[in-house]
Amino acid sequence: MSKKGRVFSGARPTGRQHLGNYLGAIQNYVALQTDYDCVYCIVDVHALTTVETTQELKLNTFEMAVDWLAAGIRPEETILFVQSHVPEVMELHTYLSMVTALGKLTDLPTFKEKVAQQPENVNYGLLGYPVLMTADIVLYKTDVVPVGIDQAPHLEFAREVVRSFNYRYNTKVLIEPQVKHTEILKVLGIDGKAKMGKSLNNHIELASTPEETTARVKDMVTDPARMKRTDPGNPDICNVYSMHKIFSPAEEVEMVNVECRRAGIGCVDCKKRLAANMNKHLEPFRAKRSELASKPDEIQDILNDGGRRARAIAQQTMVEVRDAMQLP
Ligand code: SF4
């Protein structure tokens, strides 16, 4: 069956993935493989804008690749690779930076946020980040980029850079990527307040054991108004209930919805049920993950092979780009 075009997406190497990554992005990556030729990139160069040592970069890249593969990324059809394995992206980044107004970059809210977050390390890479991101996308002749509503401005920026380049050199060599609006599920952490993330230590790792998962679920914050077992609760404001809706069978979700409101079920029991359903759901993932993790050379081969395939596309694009620019 012929596919609808090429999808590109990149993510920084953050090591072992958590439920938020899985429900918010990885599941979507897996699903897109049915209809599109997918190029998924672990953007280690982008990570250098915020990490000061590279010691963990390799391990984080490996762990993330293992999780993605265990979740269902199919390397025989999808290109899964590491950004720095394709040095052509740096060259394209430089050319694109020449058609990007400095004021546009300094005005971007994401740049201002980073400056506020790490005032001691405001490096050039932070400023050029969106240009490198644009180079990542267009280098692989991407048709479509899946983005959540809040990321749409980033893609609009990339499209503007592409238009500037094509206009400057009177060419159509770079493809303006289209947005594929995706509903990116916002998963709250076990604190029930902030988005799930490692920095807040409110996450549940996909690779954790069933016992570890159960312990994390036990720590989840519930309806704060439910002080005693006999108090009725409100599942609509409880993150445990939100997770039940994802991991539990429909009749159990309905039971929690009804029984919580009339104190027919306690939070301890409710969480035990959730943990059991979550562990059941993650069982095939975990089995595949431990099998893959026991063969690190095969993971490296997959990434190297992805790098070679990505580079072949990139080299062709750069021939066309240099030609369009009439470089000597
Ligand atoms: Fe939340 Fe379940 Fe407790 Fe209700 S019974 S407050 S849904 S944990």
Side-chain angles (χ1 to χ4, degrees):
M1 190 186 79
S2 77
K3 303 227 176 158
K4 291 182 192 165
R6 182 172 289 150
V7 154
F8 175 92
S9 191
R12 293 158 69 112
T14 49
R16 289 187 171 200
Q17 304 287 278
H18 53 70
L19 277 181
N21 304 127
Y22 179 64
L23 301 168
I26 304 172
Q27 275 193 335
N28 188 35
Y29 284 179
V30 172
L32 284 167
Q33 296 177 116
T34 307
D35 290 333
Y36 293 91
D37 288 320
C38 296
V39 180
Y40 295 142
C41 181
I42 299 177
V43 291
D44 58 338
V45 180
H46 279 293
L48 299 177
T49 55
T50 52
V51 300
E52 292 188 2
T53 71
T54 51
Q55 285 159 359
E56 289 181 358
L57 219 48
K58 224 176 188 153
L59 181 63
N60 284 345
T61 299
F62 172 81
E63 295 283 6
M64 189 155 130
V66 172
D67 276 344
W68 284 14
L69 292 163
I73 299 299
R74 300 187 286 271
E76 59 286 357
E77 54 186 286
T78 288
I79 298 179
L80 174 64
F81 76 108
V82 180
Q83 187 183 24
S84 62
H85 291 188
V86 184
E88 283 76 9
V89 76
M90 321 299 175
E91 183 186 354
L92 185 56
H93 164 251
T94 303
Y95 299 152
L96 295 181
S97 72
M98 312 302 180
V99 296
T100 306
L102 183 62
K104 257 191 186 308
L105 291 169
T106 51
D107 279 351
L108 285 172
T110 38
F111 175 65
K112 291 178 182 163
E113 276 163 29
K114 281 288 172 209
V115 171
Q117 274 169 16
Q118 53 179 62
E120 73 299 337
N121 183 17
V122 181
N123 55 72
Y124 162 74
L126 286 178
L127 188 68
Y129 199 110
V131 186
L132 181 57
M133 187 195 77
T134 305
D136 281 322
I137 296 169
V138 298
L139 188 58
Y140 305 103
K141 301 206 180 252
T142 301
D143 299 299
V144 174
V145 179
V147 290
I149 290 287
D150 55 340
Q151 299 160 315
H154 298 170
L155 200 70
E156 194 42 48
F157 173 89
R159 288 161 55 87
E160 279 174 28
V161 173
V162 168
R163 285 199 289 272
S164 298
F165 180 92
N166 285 348
Y167 180 76
R168 164 89 59 97
Y169 296 105
N170 193 22
T171 178
K172 290 186 177 156
V173 71
L174 297 184
I175 299 172
E176 255 186 70
Q178 302 300 310
V179 176
K180 181 169 174 54
H181 281 301
T182 312
E183 203 196 327
I184 296 187
L185 202 63
K186 186 181 167 196
V187 181
L188 296 182
I190 62 170
D191 53 9
K193 287 191 193 129
K195 195 174 159 190
M196 189 176 281
K198 283 191 176 180
S199 57
L200 296 173
N201 192 21
N202 67 355
H203 61 296
I204 299 176
E205 261 181 17
L206 291 175
S208 56
T209 63
E211 295 72 29
E212 286 163 346
T213 304
T214 304
R216 289 300 260 177
V217 171
K218 200 169 154 214
D219 287 343
M220 284 178 78
V221 172
T222 62
D223 173 4
R226 201 173 180 200
M227 310 290 276
K228 318 189 284 295
R229 169 68 181 79
T230 47
D231 290 337
N234 180 2
D236 297 332
I237 57 162
C238 178
N239 194 28
V240 176
Y241 182 62
S242 308
M243 291 283 191
H244 266 297
K245 287 197 266 187
I246 298 167
F247 294 105
S248 302
E251 57 285 8
E252 201 167 344
V253 174
E254 189 44 31
M255 184 278 288
V256 170
N257 186 23
V258 172
E259 295 301 327
C260 171
R261 291 177 202 277
R262 59 179 187 207
I265 184 172
C267 294
V268 173
D269 184 24
C270 186
K271 288 177 180 181
K272 268 190 199 154
R273 287 168 175 271
L274 172 63
N277 292 332
M278 220 179 237
N279 282 327
K280 194 170 168 206
H281 183 97
L282 291 172
E283 213 172 84
F285 166 86
R286 286 173 178 150
K288 181 99 192 275
R289 190 190 203 281
S290 50
E291 186 201 325
L292 288 166
S294 68
K295 301 175 202 154
D297 290 350
E298 280 184 26
I299 304 298
Q300 196 54 52
D301 285 348
I302 287 171
L303 294 175
N304 291 346
D305 178 60
R308 271 191 295 275
R309 285 150 65 202
R311 199 162 184 208
I313 304 170
Q315 284 174 331
Q316 179 56 36
T317 304
M318 289 315 296
V319 167
E320 293 167 25
V321 164
R322 290 183 212 111
D323 190 46
M325 294 172 76
Q326 299 185 31
L327 290 178

